[in-house]
Every structure is written in structure tokens, then in C-alpha cells.
Amino acid sequence: RYIFKEDPIIKAGRYNIFPDTSISELIERFEDGDVQLFKLAIIEGTVAKNNLNNLEKIIEDEKLNFDVPQSIKDIFAEEALLMPDTYFFSDQQDLVQVLSNSKLYLEDYLKDSWAQRSKDNPLETPYQALVLASIIEREALLRSEQEKIASVFLSRLKIDMKLQADPTSSYGFYGEYGKKIGRAVLDNKNPYNTYQNKGLPPGPICYPSKGAIDAAIKSSPGEFYYFVARGDGSHVFSKTYEEHNKAVKKYIYSK
């Protein structure tokens, strides 16, 4: 027989109860707060609006008795306010706490990384680093190339050369990725399109990883000003426009 403790504290929430669970085990789980957890995976390189949609779908599919609170909608109203990760929550209060903590963690991580900034890095603020990191995240399919791609963009920023990063044109035109980048996209004069505007776009274009943040901050301008995708996830880096044209003809136009 289970003897109840004096004034037991039971955490509210949804519990998975199995047929062979005894009353004593059930009471202990209630007191321990062993509630059912729901998973939200925020993947690096994705955009905020799609992750908000994913969260709303989880709440709907699981028939949770709350809507996304405004404080959380605000976190998803801009890119890169959370660190990409897998988050678990049990109820509305838990969701707010978990994502609010992630927002603070990202701010602290960015601050700590900025303190280790390369001396010849031309970025002026941690926010600029977050913006560049988001571009690096979309461009570098291989983590091993993040610093090298960062150095290309830093070299371009140093001499006031357009970044000409495809992901910025896609984000500015579509607000997301996976759609065709044609001439209409590249020529569109929105503020995010780095084919049309010099310098960094006005804000991040996705959720960057820790690696991309560190690459943006700790890298330096290098000898390369161009890169083109080989088609296998890696890139060919070039010092001159002539070398770059040869690489483009080999890996793009030859297909």
C-alpha cells in the first residue's frame, strides 16, 4: 500500500500512463513531474517563420490546450534569435522558459565569441557577425569550409566589394529556400539581395550554428575573393576573377 507524503507537490501536465503502472509508481511520477515532453527541432540554416509553423503544428497535432503565446511569436518574428537545437517542453509555461533561456544563451555565446574576434576582422558589431554567420551557414555545406568561406566574405567587405551571396537573394525574394534562383531573383532590388547592394543585408537570413558564428568572428580576410560549388558539397576557391570564371565554366556551365 502506498503511504501518501504530507502535502505532496504534483506537477500539472500530460502523463503517459501504461496499463501495468502501479498506483505507487503513478503517484511517484506525479510528484517527480515525469510529464510527457514534446520535441521542437530548430535546425541550423532554417528560417524563423517555418519553425513557428512547425511549433504550431506540434501544438495542434498533440491537441495541447494552449496557443503559442505572443512572447514566443516575438522570438520567431525575426531570424536568429535562438540557438539551433532540439528543444523539449511540457506545457506553455515550460515552452516560454525553454525558448527564453535559448535566446539568452545565444546572446551570451555571441558576446563571448565576439571577445575573441580576430584583430583584422572588419566586422564592427556582434550583430553584424550574426548576419554574416547566417550567410556562411547557408553557403557552407561542409563545416570544414566555414572559415574559408567566411574569409572570402570578409575580404570582400574589407574592399567594399558586393558579397553576391545566392542565399541572400533567395531570402530577400522568397523569405525562405529551396526555390529556383533565376534572373528575376538576382535582379530584385530588395535590401537583402547582396547582388544589388554592397555590404551586409539588414538582418540574418537563417539560424546560424555555433560553428558559423565562430567562423564569422574568428576568421580574417584572406587571399580568396571567389568560390563556386563543385556539386558535391565542396567549393573551388579563387584569388582572381579570371580563375573564378574558369571554375564556373568547369563546374557550372559544363553540366
Side-chain angles (χ1 to χ4, degrees):
R1 185 171 54 179
Y2 184 83
I3 300 176
F4 288 89
K5 298 177 183 177
E6 186 176 348
D7 298 325
I9 299 174
I10 298 177
K11 178 177 173 59
R14 184 184 295 182
Y15 291 79
N16 287 319
I17 300 176
F18 305 102
D20 58 347
T21 302
S22 67
I23 293 297
S24 60
E25 290 172 338
L26 191 58
I27 296 299
E28 286 178 0
R29 287 181 57 204
F30 287 163
E31 290 184 335
D32 291 340
D34 184 20
V35 295
Q36 182 178 355
L37 297 177
F38 307 97
K39 181 174 75 171
L40 173 66
I42 298 179
I43 301 170
E44 54 266 23
T46 59
V47 296
K49 66 176 184 178
N50 291 343
N51 283 283
L52 176 58
N53 290 339
N54 290 342
L55 175 59
E56 291 173 335
K57 190 174 187 307
I58 291 169
I59 291 173
E60 179 182 357
D61 290 349
E62 296 292 344
K63 296 180 173 55
L64 302 179
N65 61 347
F66 65 87
D67 295 323
V68 178
Q70 187 58 49
S71 62
I72 297 303
K73 289 183 178 179
D74 291 342
I75 289 178
F76 287 109
E78 300 177 41
E79 305 297 344
L81 292 184
L82 298 170
M83 188 69 83
D85 207 339
T86 299
Y87 297 97
F88 295 90
F89 65 94
S90 59
D91 54 25
Q92 185 184 61
Q93 183 179 356
D94 199 25
L95 174 66
V96 171
Q97 187 66 54
V98 166
L99 295 187
S100 296
N101 286 345
S102 175
K103 187 173 183 290
L104 293 174
Y105 176 71
L106 174 60
E107 292 169 359
D108 287 343
Y109 190 90
L110 186 61
K111 180 181 177 181
D112 291 343
S113 186
W114 184 254
Q116 304 173 57
R117 178 169 56 115
S118 172
K119 292 181 179 179
D120 53 354
N121 187 310
L123 298 176
E124 298 177 355
T125 66
Y127 187 71
Q128 285 187 348
L130 193 63
V131 174
L132 180 57
S134 70
I135 299 174
I136 295 167
E137 188 64 55
R138 290 299 313 183
E139 290 279 17
L141 296 181
L142 302 179
R143 291 189 180 276
S144 59
E145 289 190 346
Q146 285 181 334
E147 290 186 9
K148 205 167 186 178
I149 286 176
S151 73
V152 170
F153 289 134
L154 292 172
S155 294
R156 288 189 168 212
L157 287 171
K158 187 176 181 179
I159 64 172
D160 199 28
M161 180 180 176
K162 289 179 181 176
L163 298 184
Q164 295 185 320
D166 285 358
T168 65
S169 61
S170 181
Y171 182 83
F173 194 82
Y174 296 113
E176 58 187 2
Y177 304 101
K179 299 181 180 181
K180 182 180 179 181
I181 301 178
R183 181 49 56 187
V185 175
L186 296 176
D187 289 345
N188 188 264
K189 297 187 182 300
N190 68 77
Y192 282 88
N193 189 353
T194 56
Y195 278 88
Q196 299 297 320
N197 308 291
K198 287 184 177 180
L200 292 165
I205 62 171
C206 71
Y207 289 104
S209 61
K210 292 179 182 178
I213 292 173
D214 289 341
I217 293 174
K218 299 177 184 180
S219 301
S220 302
E223 59 183 343
F224 299 109
Y225 288 85
Y226 306 90
F227 61 88
V228 64
R230 283 192 177 98
D232 61 356
S234 66
H235 294 83
V236 175
F237 295 83
S238 302
K239 299 177 184 178
T240 67
Y241 187 62
E242 290 72 24
E243 291 176 356
H244 177 61
N245 269 340
K246 291 179 181 178
V248 169
K249 288 177 182 178
K250 179 176 181 180
Y251 293 101
I252 303 297
Y253 294 147
S254 64
K255 293 180 181 179

